[in-house]
Amino acid sequence: YSHTLFLTGDRLGLSTLAQAIYSLDPFSAQANVAVGNYYAVMRKRDRSVYYFKRAVHIDPTLVSAWTLLGHEYLEVKNPNAAAEAYRAGLLVEKRDYRAWYSLGQIYELHHMYPFALHYFWRTVQLKPHDPRMWQAAAAVLLKLNRIKDMVRCLECAEQYEPKDTDAYADIVRTLAQRCLLFDPAKAMAYMVKLMACEG
């Protein structure tokens, strides 16, 4: 529940929840996660890292705490510690797509594209109906100059992205541009789709 409050930016609700469950049991991992989320939403990174570290110390099997710790390490520009936190979470739950995705982002930021692609392929396997996972893989494939593979990924992203979003128009526009290189007929089909969604 604290994660939902964090995502909505509900500082008051998160503060109330964190104080309530921390006062009940300051040694529970969930209480420390709630407090960590509170400090994260307040952008007090050192405090949030402290409480997420406490949470994983109390319960090393709490995957969400490892993931949140990794996210906070990224916020304080410590990608090595973030990668360690994500990997620790994956030792507990190999199907946590957030950790795979975040590791892909870390390697992409360091221009280590083959490694990034490995992690993004894993996210695609775990969440094949999420267009963001396909787009992440496509972005790395473009950097590796694997245009046809990138187009295949974007075609999957297009399939799952709702048609009434800006993201859908961006995907179709990119497909139209890239298909011009090797399949003009397909490029024209994407241009027609693009005009339909922009018109």
Side-chain angles (χ1 to χ4, degrees), residues 72-106:
E72 287 305 297
Y73 276 134
L74 281 180
E75 290 293 333
V76 296
K77 309 286 189 264
N78 190 345
N80 293 334
E84 284 182 36
Y86 295 133
R87 285 193 187 98
L90 287 173
L91 289 174
V92 177
E93 176 53 68
K94 290 186 183 339
R95 298 190 54 81
D96 182 18
Y97 79 92
R98 295 166 304 175
W100 289 103
Y101 184 81
S102 297
L103 283 165
Q105 288 181 313
I106 289 170

PDB file of all heavy atoms in Angstrom, residues 72-106:
ATOM      1  N   GLU A  72      16.626   3.807  -5.414  1.00  0.00           N
ATOM      2  CA  GLU A  72      17.177   4.934  -4.646  1.00  0.00           C
ATOM      3  C   GLU A  72      18.674   5.090  -4.888  1.00  0.00           C
ATOM      4  O   GLU A  72      19.177   6.210  -4.961  1.00  0.00           O
ATOM      5  CB  GLU A  72      16.882   4.774  -3.152  1.00  0.00           C
ATOM      6  CG  GLU A  72      15.429   5.017  -2.801  1.00  0.00           C
ATOM      7  CD  GLU A  72      14.932   6.378  -3.268  1.00  0.00           C
ATOM      8  OE1 GLU A  72      15.451   7.408  -2.804  1.00  0.00           O
ATOM      9  OE2 GLU A  72      14.018   6.413  -4.106  1.00  0.00           O
ATOM     10  N   TYR A  73      19.382   3.971  -5.031  1.00  0.00           N
ATOM     11  CA  TYR A  73      20.805   4.075  -5.367  1.00  0.00           C
ATOM     12  C   TYR A  73      20.998   4.764  -6.715  1.00  0.00           C
ATOM     13  O   TYR A  73      21.939   5.540  -6.895  1.00  0.00           O
ATOM     14  CB  TYR A  73      21.478   2.708  -5.383  1.00  0.00           C
ATOM     15  CG  TYR A  73      21.935   2.231  -4.024  1.00  0.00           C
ATOM     16  CD1 TYR A  73      21.676   0.934  -3.597  1.00  0.00           C
ATOM     17  CD2 TYR A  73      22.659   3.061  -3.168  1.00  0.00           C
ATOM     18  CE1 TYR A  73      22.105   0.480  -2.367  1.00  0.00           C
ATOM     19  CE2 TYR A  73      23.097   2.627  -1.923  1.00  0.00           C
ATOM     20  CZ  TYR A  73      22.822   1.331  -1.531  1.00  0.00           C
ATOM     21  OH  TYR A  73      23.254   0.893  -0.306  1.00  0.00           O
ATOM     22  N   LEU A  74      20.105   4.498  -7.657  1.00  0.00           N
ATOM     23  CA  LEU A  74      20.196   5.196  -8.942  1.00  0.00           C
ATOM     24  C   LEU A  74      19.964   6.692  -8.768  1.00  0.00           C
ATOM     25  O   LEU A  74      20.608   7.505  -9.421  1.00  0.00           O
ATOM     26  CB  LEU A  74      19.185   4.627  -9.939  1.00  0.00           C
ATOM     27  CG  LEU A  74      19.565   3.321 -10.607  1.00  0.00           C
ATOM     28  CD1 LEU A  74      18.470   2.886 -11.577  1.00  0.00           C
ATOM     29  CD2 LEU A  74      20.897   3.429 -11.328  1.00  0.00           C
ATOM     30  N   GLU A  75      19.044   7.050  -7.877  1.00  0.00           N
ATOM     31  CA  GLU A  75      18.764   8.465  -7.644  1.00  0.00           C
ATOM     32  C   GLU A  75      19.971   9.204  -7.072  1.00  0.00           C
ATOM     33  O   GLU A  75      20.148  10.394  -7.330  1.00  0.00           O
ATOM     34  CB  GLU A  75      17.563   8.631  -6.698  1.00  0.00           C
ATOM     35  CG  GLU A  75      16.242   8.224  -7.311  1.00  0.00           C
ATOM     36  CD  GLU A  75      15.802   9.134  -8.441  1.00  0.00           C
ATOM     37  OE1 GLU A  75      16.183  10.320  -8.455  1.00  0.00           O
ATOM     38  OE2 GLU A  75      15.064   8.647  -9.317  1.00  0.00           O
ATOM     39  N   VAL A  76      20.794   8.505  -6.282  1.00  0.00           N
ATOM     40  CA  VAL A  76      21.990   9.150  -5.711  1.00  0.00           C
ATOM     41  C   VAL A  76      23.226   8.882  -6.576  1.00  0.00           C
ATOM     42  O   VAL A  76      24.348   9.049  -6.127  1.00  0.00           O
ATOM     43  CB  VAL A  76      22.242   8.732  -4.237  1.00  0.00           C
ATOM     44  CG1 VAL A  76      21.112   9.194  -3.352  1.00  0.00           C
ATOM     45  CG2 VAL A  76      22.491   7.250  -4.094  1.00  0.00           C
ATOM     46  N   LYS A  77      22.982   8.458  -7.820  1.00  0.00           N
ATOM     47  CA  LYS A  77      24.055   8.253  -8.808  1.00  0.00           C
ATOM     48  C   LYS A  77      25.076   7.205  -8.361  1.00  0.00           C
ATOM     49  O   LYS A  77      26.279   7.405  -8.490  1.00  0.00           O
ATOM     50  CB  LYS A  77      24.770   9.571  -9.116  1.00  0.00           C
ATOM     51  CG  LYS A  77      23.864  10.728  -9.475  1.00  0.00           C
ATOM     52  CD  LYS A  77      23.315  10.574 -10.862  1.00  0.00           C
ATOM     53  CE  LYS A  77      22.580  11.816 -11.326  1.00  0.00           C
ATOM     54  NZ  LYS A  77      21.156  11.772 -11.136  1.00  0.00           N
ATOM     55  N   ASN A  78      24.566   6.092  -7.848  1.00  0.00           N
ATOM     56  CA  ASN A  78      25.437   4.986  -7.473  1.00  0.00           C
ATOM     57  C   ASN A  78      24.971   3.728  -8.221  1.00  0.00           C
ATOM     58  O   ASN A  78      24.340   2.849  -7.640  1.00  0.00           O
ATOM     59  CB  ASN A  78      25.392   4.766  -5.954  1.00  0.00           C
ATOM     60  CG  ASN A  78      26.450   3.788  -5.483  1.00  0.00           C
ATOM     61  OD1 ASN A  78      27.040   3.060  -6.273  1.00  0.00           O
ATOM     62  ND2 ASN A  78      26.682   3.766  -4.182  1.00  0.00           N
ATOM     63  N   PRO A  79      25.280   3.643  -9.533  1.00  0.00           N
ATOM     64  CA  PRO A  79      24.772   2.530 -10.331  1.00  0.00           C
ATOM     65  C   PRO A  79      25.328   1.167  -9.928  1.00  0.00           C
ATOM     66  O   PRO A  79      24.651   0.154 -10.087  1.00  0.00           O
ATOM     67  CB  PRO A  79      25.175   2.894 -11.760  1.00  0.00           C
ATOM     68  CG  PRO A  79      26.292   3.854 -11.622  1.00  0.00           C
ATOM     69  CD  PRO A  79      26.066   4.582 -10.325  1.00  0.00           C
ATOM     70  N   ASN A  80      26.538   1.131  -9.390  1.00  0.00           N
ATOM     71  CA  ASN A  80      27.096  -0.157  -8.966  1.00  0.00           C
ATOM     72  C   ASN A  80      26.299  -0.747  -7.806  1.00  0.00           C
ATOM     73  O   ASN A  80      25.972  -1.932  -7.808  1.00  0.00           O
ATOM     74  CB  ASN A  80      28.569  -0.013  -8.592  1.00  0.00           C
ATOM     75  CG  ASN A  80      29.425   0.311  -9.796  1.00  0.00           C
ATOM     76  OD1 ASN A  80      29.085  -0.019 -10.927  1.00  0.00           O
ATOM     77  ND2 ASN A  80      30.540   0.980  -9.561  1.00  0.00           N
ATOM     78  N   ALA A  81      25.996   0.089  -6.816  1.00  0.00           N
ATOM     79  CA  ALA A  81      25.196  -0.385  -5.682  1.00  0.00           C
ATOM     80  C   ALA A  81      23.786  -0.732  -6.142  1.00  0.00           C
ATOM     81  O   ALA A  81      23.183  -1.699  -5.659  1.00  0.00           O
ATOM     82  CB  ALA A  81      25.166   0.662  -4.576  1.00  0.00           C
ATOM     83  N   ALA A  82      23.244   0.047  -7.084  1.00  0.00           N
ATOM     84  CA  ALA A  82      21.906  -0.243  -7.614  1.00  0.00           C
ATOM     85  C   ALA A  82      21.893  -1.612  -8.275  1.00  0.00           C
ATOM     86  O   ALA A  82      20.985  -2.419  -8.043  1.00  0.00           O
ATOM     87  CB  ALA A  82      21.491   0.841  -8.606  1.00  0.00           C
ATOM     88  N   ALA A  83      22.898  -1.880  -9.106  1.00  0.00           N
ATOM     89  CA  ALA A  83      22.970  -3.175  -9.789  1.00  0.00           C
ATOM     90  C   ALA A  83      23.060  -4.318  -8.783  1.00  0.00           C
ATOM     91  O   ALA A  83      22.411  -5.356  -8.950  1.00  0.00           O
ATOM     92  CB  ALA A  83      24.157  -3.201 -10.746  1.00  0.00           C
ATOM     93  N   GLU A  84      23.833  -4.125  -7.722  1.00  0.00           N
ATOM     94  CA  GLU A  84      23.932  -5.163  -6.679  1.00  0.00           C
ATOM     95  C   GLU A  84      22.579  -5.404  -6.018  1.00  0.00           C
ATOM     96  O   GLU A  84      22.207  -6.555  -5.757  1.00  0.00           O
ATOM     97  CB  GLU A  84      24.958  -4.750  -5.620  1.00  0.00           C
ATOM     98  CG  GLU A  84      26.390  -4.909  -6.064  1.00  0.00           C
ATOM     99  CD  GLU A  84      27.368  -4.544  -4.965  1.00  0.00           C
ATOM    100  OE1 GLU A  84      27.077  -4.816  -3.778  1.00  0.00           O
ATOM    101  OE2 GLU A  84      28.421  -3.981  -5.299  1.00  0.00           O
ATOM    102  N   ALA A  85      21.844  -4.336  -5.748  1.00  0.00           N
ATOM    103  CA  ALA A  85      20.529  -4.483  -5.124  1.00  0.00           C
ATOM    104  C   ALA A  85      19.570  -5.219  -6.058  1.00  0.00           C
ATOM    105  O   ALA A  85      18.846  -6.128  -5.630  1.00  0.00           O
ATOM    106  CB  ALA A  85      19.962  -3.117  -4.741  1.00  0.00           C
ATOM    107  N   TYR A  86      19.557  -4.839  -7.336  1.00  0.00           N
ATOM    108  CA  TYR A  86      18.669  -5.525  -8.288  1.00  0.00           C
ATOM    109  C   TYR A  86      19.034  -7.004  -8.407  1.00  0.00           C
ATOM    110  O   TYR A  86      18.159  -7.868  -8.433  1.00  0.00           O
ATOM    111  CB  TYR A  86      18.733  -4.861  -9.663  1.00  0.00           C
ATOM    112  CG  TYR A  86      18.203  -3.454  -9.689  1.00  0.00           C
ATOM    113  CD1 TYR A  86      18.914  -2.438 -10.315  1.00  0.00           C
ATOM    114  CD2 TYR A  86      16.983  -3.119  -9.107  1.00  0.00           C
ATOM    115  CE1 TYR A  86      18.432  -1.140 -10.359  1.00  0.00           C
ATOM    116  CE2 TYR A  86      16.498  -1.824  -9.138  1.00  0.00           C
ATOM    117  CZ  TYR A  86      17.222  -0.844  -9.765  1.00  0.00           C
ATOM    118  OH  TYR A  86      16.745   0.440  -9.805  1.00  0.00           O
ATOM    119  N   ARG A  87      20.326  -7.293  -8.464  1.00  0.00           N
ATOM    120  CA  ARG A  87      20.755  -8.692  -8.579  1.00  0.00           C
ATOM    121  C   ARG A  87      20.379  -9.487  -7.325  1.00  0.00           C
ATOM    122  O   ARG A  87      20.002 -10.656  -7.420  1.00  0.00           O
ATOM    123  CB  ARG A  87      22.252  -8.772  -8.834  1.00  0.00           C
ATOM    124  CG  ARG A  87      22.613  -8.414 -10.247  1.00  0.00           C
ATOM    125  CD  ARG A  87      24.056  -8.806 -10.585  1.00  0.00           C
ATOM    126  NE  ARG A  87      24.386  -8.285 -11.894  1.00  0.00           N
ATOM    127  CZ  ARG A  87      25.058  -7.161 -12.115  1.00  0.00           C
ATOM    128  NH1 ARG A  87      25.496  -6.438 -11.102  1.00  0.00           N
ATOM    129  NH2 ARG A  87      25.308  -6.755 -13.344  1.00  0.00           N
ATOM    130  N   ALA A  88      20.491  -8.852  -6.168  1.00  0.00           N
ATOM    131  CA  ALA A  88      20.096  -9.540  -4.928  1.00  0.00           C
ATOM    132  C   ALA A  88      18.605  -9.870  -4.968  1.00  0.00           C
ATOM    133  O   ALA A  88      18.190 -10.955  -4.552  1.00  0.00           O
ATOM    134  CB  ALA A  88      20.433  -8.672  -3.711  1.00  0.00           C
ATOM    135  N   GLY A  89      17.809  -8.949  -5.482  1.00  0.00           N
ATOM    136  CA  GLY A  89      16.380  -9.212  -5.622  1.00  0.00           C
ATOM    137  C   GLY A  89      16.108 -10.351  -6.585  1.00  0.00           C
ATOM    138  O   GLY A  89      15.216 -11.179  -6.369  1.00  0.00           O
ATOM    139  N   LEU A  90      16.894 -10.418  -7.670  1.00  0.00           N
ATOM    140  CA  LEU A  90      16.711 -11.494  -8.650  1.00  0.00           C
ATOM    141  C   LEU A  90      17.114 -12.845  -8.097  1.00  0.00           C
ATOM    142  O   LEU A  90      16.601 -13.879  -8.536  1.00  0.00           O
ATOM    143  CB  LEU A  90      17.493 -11.188  -9.934  1.00  0.00           C
ATOM    144  CG  LEU A  90      16.898 -10.086 -10.794  1.00  0.00           C
ATOM    145  CD1 LEU A  90      17.837  -9.735 -11.941  1.00  0.00           C
ATOM    146  CD2 LEU A  90      15.527 -10.486 -11.318  1.00  0.00           C
ATOM    147  N   LEU A  91      18.019 -12.865  -7.125  1.00  0.00           N
ATOM    148  CA  LEU A  91      18.357 -14.140  -6.476  1.00  0.00           C
ATOM    149  C   LEU A  91      17.157 -14.683  -5.711  1.00  0.00           C
ATOM    150  O   LEU A  91      17.002 -15.896  -5.564  1.00  0.00           O
ATOM    151  CB  LEU A  91      19.548 -13.960  -5.525  1.00  0.00           C
ATOM    152  CG  LEU A  91      20.901 -13.727  -6.194  1.00  0.00           C
ATOM    153  CD1 LEU A  91      21.962 -13.424  -5.135  1.00  0.00           C
ATOM    154  CD2 LEU A  91      21.297 -14.919  -7.042  1.00  0.00           C
ATOM    155  N   VAL A  92      16.305 -13.778  -5.242  1.00  0.00           N
ATOM    156  CA  VAL A  92      15.103 -14.179  -4.499  1.00  0.00           C
ATOM    157  C   VAL A  92      13.973 -14.520  -5.467  1.00  0.00           C
ATOM    158  O   VAL A  92      13.280 -15.525  -5.303  1.00  0.00           O
ATOM    159  CB  VAL A  92      14.654 -13.055  -3.533  1.00  0.00           C
ATOM    160  CG1 VAL A  92      13.374 -13.423  -2.818  1.00  0.00           C
ATOM    161  CG2 VAL A  92      15.755 -12.723  -2.539  1.00  0.00           C
ATOM    162  N   GLU A  93      13.793 -13.675  -6.478  1.00  0.00           N
ATOM    163  CA  GLU A  93      12.681 -13.859  -7.433  1.00  0.00           C
ATOM    164  C   GLU A  93      13.165 -13.555  -8.837  1.00  0.00           C
ATOM    165  O   GLU A  93      13.272 -12.393  -9.216  1.00  0.00           O
ATOM    166  CB  GLU A  93      11.502 -12.949  -7.058  1.00  0.00           C
ATOM    167  CG  GLU A  93      10.346 -12.982  -8.017  1.00  0.00           C
ATOM    168  CD  GLU A  93       9.817 -14.374  -8.306  1.00  0.00           C
ATOM    169  OE1 GLU A  93       9.237 -14.996  -7.403  1.00  0.00           O
ATOM    170  OE2 GLU A  93       9.992 -14.845  -9.440  1.00  0.00           O
ATOM    171  N   LYS A  94      13.434 -14.610  -9.594  1.00  0.00           N
ATOM    172  CA  LYS A  94      13.973 -14.447 -10.945  1.00  0.00           C
ATOM    173  C   LYS A  94      12.973 -13.845 -11.924  1.00  0.00           C
ATOM    174  O   LYS A  94      13.350 -13.436 -13.011  1.00  0.00           O
ATOM    175  CB  LYS A  94      14.444 -15.796 -11.474  1.00  0.00           C
ATOM    176  CG  LYS A  94      15.685 -16.320 -10.792  1.00  0.00           C
ATOM    177  CD  LYS A  94      16.155 -17.576 -11.458  1.00  0.00           C
ATOM    178  CE  LYS A  94      17.325 -18.254 -10.847  1.00  0.00           C
ATOM    179  NZ  LYS A  94      18.224 -17.595 -10.011  1.00  0.00           N
ATOM    180  N   ARG A  95      11.700 -13.779 -11.556  1.00  0.00           N
ATOM    181  CA  ARG A  95      10.683 -13.265 -12.467  1.00  0.00           C
ATOM    182  C   ARG A  95      10.303 -11.808 -12.182  1.00  0.00           C
ATOM    183  O   ARG A  95       9.291 -11.333 -12.682  1.00  0.00           O
ATOM    184  CB  ARG A  95       9.437 -14.160 -12.403  1.00  0.00           C
ATOM    185  CG  ARG A  95       9.742 -15.594 -12.843  1.00  0.00           C
ATOM    186  CD  ARG A  95       8.526 -16.439 -13.026  1.00  0.00           C
ATOM    187  NE  ARG A  95       7.554 -15.864 -13.918  1.00  0.00           N
ATOM    188  CZ  ARG A  95       7.585 -15.896 -15.247  1.00  0.00           C
ATOM    189  NH1 ARG A  95       8.585 -16.485 -15.849  1.00  0.00           N
ATOM    190  NH2 ARG A  95       6.625 -15.357 -15.968  1.00  0.00           N
ATOM    191  N   ASP A  96      11.127 -11.100 -11.420  1.00  0.00           N
ATOM    192  CA  ASP A  96      10.847  -9.695 -11.137  1.00  0.00           C
ATOM    193  C   ASP A  96      11.309  -8.846 -12.317  1.00  0.00           C
ATOM    194  O   ASP A  96      12.482  -8.497 -12.434  1.00  0.00           O
ATOM    195  CB  ASP A  96      11.538  -9.258  -9.847  1.00  0.00           C
ATOM    196  CG  ASP A  96      11.243  -7.810  -9.491  1.00  0.00           C
ATOM    197  OD1 ASP A  96      10.271  -7.248 -10.028  1.00  0.00           O
ATOM    198  OD2 ASP A  96      11.998  -7.245  -8.689  1.00  0.00           O
ATOM    199  N   TYR A  97      10.366  -8.524 -13.197  1.00  0.00           N
ATOM    200  CA  TYR A  97      10.720  -7.796 -14.421  1.00  0.00           C
ATOM    201  C   TYR A  97      11.313  -6.428 -14.115  1.00  0.00           C
ATOM    202  O   TYR A  97      12.131  -5.896 -14.881  1.00  0.00           O
ATOM    203  CB  TYR A  97       9.507  -7.654 -15.350  1.00  0.00           C
ATOM    204  CG  TYR A  97       8.560  -6.560 -14.951  1.00  0.00           C
ATOM    205  CD1 TYR A  97       8.681  -5.285 -15.471  1.00  0.00           C
ATOM    206  CD2 TYR A  97       7.559  -6.795 -14.008  1.00  0.00           C
ATOM    207  CE1 TYR A  97       7.826  -4.264 -15.091  1.00  0.00           C
ATOM    208  CE2 TYR A  97       6.703  -5.783 -13.623  1.00  0.00           C
ATOM    209  CZ  TYR A  97       6.844  -4.526 -14.171  1.00  0.00           C
ATOM    210  OH  TYR A  97       6.001  -3.518 -13.771  1.00  0.00           O
ATOM    211  N   ARG A  98      10.935  -5.799 -12.997  1.00  0.00           N
ATOM    212  CA  ARG A  98      11.449  -4.462 -12.679  1.00  0.00           C
ATOM    213  C   ARG A  98      12.965  -4.487 -12.487  1.00  0.00           C
ATOM    214  O   ARG A  98      13.676  -3.573 -12.914  1.00  0.00           O
ATOM    215  CB  ARG A  98      10.762  -3.904 -11.433  1.00  0.00           C
ATOM    216  CG  ARG A  98       9.283  -3.665 -11.630  1.00  0.00           C
ATOM    217  CD  ARG A  98       8.593  -3.442 -10.314  1.00  0.00           C
ATOM    218  NE  ARG A  98       8.853  -4.590  -9.446  1.00  0.00           N
ATOM    219  CZ  ARG A  98       8.484  -4.696  -8.192  1.00  0.00           C
ATOM    220  NH1 ARG A  98       7.835  -3.710  -7.619  1.00  0.00           N
ATOM    221  NH2 ARG A  98       8.752  -5.775  -7.490  1.00  0.00           N
ATOM    222  N   ALA A  99      13.463  -5.531 -11.839  1.00  0.00           N
ATOM    223  CA  ALA A  99      14.908  -5.634 -11.624  1.00  0.00           C
ATOM    224  C   ALA A  99      15.631  -5.874 -12.956  1.00  0.00           C
ATOM    225  O   ALA A  99      16.666  -5.252 -13.222  1.00  0.00           O
ATOM    226  CB  ALA A  99      15.214  -6.754 -10.644  1.00  0.00           C
ATOM    227  N   TRP A 100      15.096  -6.758 -13.793  1.00  0.00           N
ATOM    228  CA  TRP A 100      15.695  -7.004 -15.107  1.00  0.00           C
ATOM    229  C   TRP A 100      15.716  -5.710 -15.927  1.00  0.00           C
ATOM    230  O   TRP A 100      16.725  -5.376 -16.556  1.00  0.00           O
ATOM    231  CB  TRP A 100      14.930  -8.089 -15.863  1.00  0.00           C
ATOM    232  CG  TRP A 100      15.095  -9.463 -15.310  1.00  0.00           C
ATOM    233  CD1 TRP A 100      14.195 -10.154 -14.553  1.00  0.00           C
ATOM    234  CD2 TRP A 100      16.223 -10.337 -15.448  1.00  0.00           C
ATOM    235  NE1 TRP A 100      14.693 -11.386 -14.222  1.00  0.00           N
ATOM    236  CE2 TRP A 100      15.942 -11.526 -14.765  1.00  0.00           C
ATOM    237  CE3 TRP A 100      17.445 -10.220 -16.100  1.00  0.00           C
ATOM    238  CZ2 TRP A 100      16.824 -12.599 -14.711  1.00  0.00           C
ATOM    239  CZ3 TRP A 100      18.335 -11.287 -16.051  1.00  0.00           C
ATOM    240  CH2 TRP A 100      18.021 -12.448 -15.369  1.00  0.00           C
ATOM    241  N   TYR A 101      14.593  -5.005 -15.935  1.00  0.00           N
ATOM    242  CA  TYR A 101      14.466  -3.770 -16.703  1.00  0.00           C
ATOM    243  C   TYR A 101      15.461  -2.718 -16.192  1.00  0.00           C
ATOM    244  O   TYR A 101      16.142  -2.058 -16.984  1.00  0.00           O
ATOM    245  CB  TYR A 101      13.029  -3.247 -16.602  1.00  0.00           C
ATOM    246  CG  TYR A 101      12.751  -2.029 -17.440  1.00  0.00           C
ATOM    247  CD1 TYR A 101      12.477  -2.145 -18.795  1.00  0.00           C
ATOM    248  CD2 TYR A 101      12.764  -0.759 -16.876  1.00  0.00           C
ATOM    249  CE1 TYR A 101      12.215  -1.030 -19.572  1.00  0.00           C
ATOM    250  CE2 TYR A 101      12.506   0.360 -17.650  1.00  0.00           C
ATOM    251  CZ  TYR A 101      12.229   0.219 -18.995  1.00  0.00           C
ATOM    252  OH  TYR A 101      11.983   1.334 -19.749  1.00  0.00           O
ATOM    253  N   SER A 102      15.554  -2.587 -14.893  1.00  0.00           N
ATOM    254  CA  SER A 102      16.460  -1.587 -14.308  1.00  0.00           C
ATOM    255  C   SER A 102      17.917  -1.911 -14.604  1.00  0.00           C
ATOM    256  O   SER A 102      18.719  -1.010 -14.868  1.00  0.00           O
ATOM    257  CB  SER A 102      16.218  -1.486 -12.801  1.00  0.00           C
ATOM    258  OG  SER A 102      14.903  -1.038 -12.553  1.00  0.00           O
ATOM    259  N   LEU A 103      18.265  -3.194 -14.566  1.00  0.00           N
ATOM    260  CA  LEU A 103      19.636  -3.575 -14.938  1.00  0.00           C
ATOM    261  C   LEU A 103      19.899  -3.232 -16.407  1.00  0.00           C
ATOM    262  O   LEU A 103      20.984  -2.757 -16.754  1.00  0.00           O
ATOM    263  CB  LEU A 103      19.864  -5.069 -14.677  1.00  0.00           C
ATOM    264  CG  LEU A 103      20.081  -5.434 -13.213  1.00  0.00           C
ATOM    265  CD1 LEU A 103      19.938  -6.934 -13.009  1.00  0.00           C
ATOM    266  CD2 LEU A 103      21.449  -4.957 -12.735  1.00  0.00           C
ATOM    267  N   GLY A 104      18.918  -3.447 -17.258  1.00  0.00           N
ATOM    268  CA  GLY A 104      19.054  -3.057 -18.654  1.00  0.00           C
ATOM    269  C   GLY A 104      19.304  -1.568 -18.795  1.00  0.00           C
ATOM    270  O   GLY A 104      20.152  -1.142 -19.594  1.00  0.00           O
ATOM    271  N   GLN A 105      18.581  -0.774 -18.029  1.00  0.00           N
ATOM    272  CA  GLN A 105      18.772   0.685 -18.079  1.00  0.00           C
ATOM    273  C   GLN A 105      20.180   1.074 -17.629  1.00  0.00           C
ATOM    274  O   GLN A 105      20.798   1.957 -18.223  1.00  0.00           O
ATOM    275  CB  GLN A 105      17.743   1.380 -17.193  1.00  0.00           C
ATOM    276  CG  GLN A 105      16.350   1.360 -17.755  1.00  0.00           C
ATOM    277  CD  GLN A 105      15.376   2.078 -16.844  1.00  0.00           C
ATOM    278  OE1 GLN A 105      15.355   1.858 -15.639  1.00  0.00           O
ATOM    279  NE2 GLN A 105      14.573   2.952 -17.435  1.00  0.00           N
ATOM    280  N   ILE A 106      20.672   0.421 -16.587  1.00  0.00           N
ATOM    281  CA  ILE A 106      22.023   0.737 -16.092  1.00  0.00           C
ATOM    282  C   ILE A 106      23.055   0.459 -17.186  1.00  0.00           C
ATOM    283  O   ILE A 106      23.922   1.289 -17.467  1.00  0.00           O
ATOM    284  CB  ILE A 106      22.336  -0.058 -14.811  1.00  0.00           C
ATOM    285  CG1 ILE A 106      21.502   0.471 -13.645  1.00  0.00           C
ATOM    286  CG2 ILE A 106      23.832   0.019 -14.482  1.00  0.00           C
ATOM    287  CD1 ILE A 106      21.565  -0.392 -12.398  1.00  0.00           C
TER     288      ILE A 106
END
